[in-house]
Amino acid sequence: MPRRPRSAAPRRAIVPSCPTVTHEAPDAPDTILVEGTPLAVHPGPVAARWSRAAAAKGFDIAARVIDRLHLALCCRTCGHVFACRISVLTVAQPICHACLEARRSDTAIRAALVYLGRDPQSTAYGFYRARCGHVLRRQYEIIIRVAEGLTGLRCETCFAAREAAIAAKHGWTRIGPDPEGNPNYHLYRHVCGTERRLARANLSWGQVDCPGCGQSWSARESRIYLLDLRHDGRHFLKLGYSAHPTKRHRHQLGLPKGAAVRVLRELVMPTGAAACAAETRMHRDLCRSFPDAVVPQAEFADMLNVTREIYRPALRAEIEARLDALAARIEAAPSGSAVASEEGGATRSAAESAPVSAADS
């Protein structure tokens, strides 16, 4: 449906036609129809200041209803009658629900939606029908932003179907949400039966491999390592993961020839994906819990070709404890479970190696 230009003239105002008080029987109480419901008319007088306040705010007073605290207001724009507390009329701006719903409907049209009505569970949400035919529950403020072109709108049902099609294209089936509660991940099952957490972005590009039958680095065995680095009076710890930790520190870190390197710990992980995920979580937790132990890049820029993940030696006990906890958690997990496949199925610690000079390597 074509959008109505913003500059178009507003809807023509409806000539107000306020209802009158009706008498159902000679001895029956006076009633007035308010939003489809007959309400009893309160016999008290209508103060002049109430009438002036109503007129200033676009309403007429049809009657006093329910009790001494309420009025029946008639909207001068659409003729809708609704009940309103006297205190609201005198100190605030009453809202005509019919006009409000009409504005929401117009906003939905500009956002290429059909407004279906309010959500009875929340005053901030409404129901809309999208072009695909599915019903969406959205905040009114979001729909306003969509109508103004400030954001987009996505149908969850269609999005899930597209994700399922993409997953099937790469041999995966989505079986549920992420066990760790990360909205950017889902739990998938490969055609071989292996289950794994996958980032939705990686899956969309096909940058995933099965830890059970895959052949890439993410499916092959890897290790989480802890290195002790010393050079020119400086002493650091390096936590990382690699399929070959020795090759990593000898040929890939860019250490000076005079640097002394000692492998303090190795934890075997069955896949590179599991090692990457566990190491990333560990770095995140360490940086949040011990920010003072994180070494700024300026202190090691001339010694290492990495930009982060370097710690003070005082943090060694904490890192070792976290590696021990990871090893225990993996050992306790059933073989083939989601935890085991994501964090490892076999672990072992490497004994501390003797210091190795970069020049010797």
Side-chain angles (χ1 to χ4, degrees):
M1 181 178 295
R3 298 183 179 179
R4 180 166 61 88
R6 299 182 185 177
S7 59
R11 291 186 174 183
R12 202 164 112 192
I14 300 175
V15 177
S17 177
C18 295
T20 57
V21 177
T22 61
H23 299 274
E24 297 182 356
D27 54 348
D30 293 335
T31 61
I32 185 174
L33 201 63
V34 177
E35 295 186 309
T37 303
L39 298 181
V41 175
H42 187 73
V46 176
R49 62 187 182 88
W50 300 345
S51 298
R52 291 193 297 270
K57 297 175 182 179
F59 302 98
D60 291 314
I61 298 177
R64 294 184 69 174
V65 293
I66 306 175
D67 53 30
R68 62 184 182 84
L69 302 177
H70 290 80
L71 297 171
L73 298 183
C74 178
C75 178
R76 290 184 173 180
T77 301
C78 66
H80 180 69
V81 179
F82 62 98
C84 176
R85 292 183 67 91
I86 296 175
S87 58
V88 173
L89 174 64
T90 55
V91 303
Q93 173 63 47
I95 297 176
C96 173
H97 293 156
C99 291
L100 179 61
E101 292 293 280
R103 290 196 297 271
R104 289 170 175 171
S105 180
D106 289 343
T107 303
I109 291 173
R110 291 192 289 117
L113 300 168
V114 176
Y115 179 57
L116 301 179
R118 294 175 289 176
D119 180 1
Q121 305 298 325
S122 174
T123 58
Y125 285 80
F127 291 104
Y128 300 84
R129 189 181 307 280
R131 288 179 174 177
C132 60
H134 297 123
V135 176
L136 311 179
R137 178 180 179 268
R138 291 292 188 276
Q139 288 179 313
Y140 298 122
E141 182 62 30
I142 293 296
I143 301 302
I144 293 175
R145 295 180 60 194
V146 173
E148 294 176 351
L150 301 178
T151 187
L153 193 66
R154 183 175 68 190
C155 171
E156 294 89 348
T157 305
C158 294
F159 181 69
R162 289 196 300 270
E163 278 200 328
I166 293 173
K169 179 181 177 181
H170 299 289
W172 296 87
T173 301
R174 178 184 169 186
I175 59 177
D178 178 28
E180 299 184 9
N182 189 333
N184 295 318
Y185 282 75
H186 284 152
L187 187 61
Y188 294 86
R189 182 184 293 114
H190 196 239
V191 290
C192 68
T194 303
E195 296 181 3
R196 178 185 169 188
R197 295 171 62 245
L198 296 177
R200 288 158 38 182
N202 290 343
L203 186 61
S204 65
W205 289 100
Q207 294 177 320
V208 293
D209 201 2
C210 176
C213 61
Q215 299 298 322
S216 70
W217 70 268
S218 63
R220 293 196 298 267
E221 183 182 271
S222 187
R223 288 167 171 77
I224 296 178
Y225 62 81
L226 179 62
L227 301 180
D228 182 288
L229 307 175
R230 302 171 189 248
H231 176 66
D232 197 20
R234 289 172 290 179
H235 185 190
F236 303 130
L237 297 178
K238 169 76 171 75
L239 178 67
Y241 77 95
S242 174
H244 305 283
T246 302
K247 179 182 178 181
R248 173 70 172 154
H249 76 73
R250 286 185 177 179
H251 303 294
Q252 297 173 351
L253 293 181
L255 288 163
K257 292 184 178 181
V261 183
R262 184 169 57 173
V263 180
L264 301 179
R265 186 76 178 268
E266 282 188 18
L267 192 62
V268 177
M269 310 293 284
T271 66
C276 178
E279 184 242 18
T280 300
R281 283 194 296 270
M282 199 171 299
H283 280 305
R284 182 182 63 240
D285 294 342
L286 289 171
C287 291
R288 289 176 179 174
S289 303
F290 307 96
D292 294 337
V294 179
V295 181
Q297 184 187 3
E299 293 189 27
F300 61 83
D302 62 331
M303 179 177 167
L304 293 159
N305 58 12
V306 297
T307 59
R308 55 194 179 93
E309 302 174 354
I310 305 298
Y311 302 98
R312 305 289 182 191
L315 199 61
R316 176 181 173 180
E318 181 64 32
I319 297 176
E320 293 264 25
R322 291 173 184 258
L323 291 173
D324 291 339
L326 174 60
R329 186 165 64 252
I330 294 170
E331 290 296 335
S335 178
S337 67
V339 175
S341 63
E342 186 62 27
E343 296 188 323
T347 63
R348 67 175 179 267
S349 299
E352 292 188 5
S353 64
V356 177
S357 169
D360 296 337
S361 63

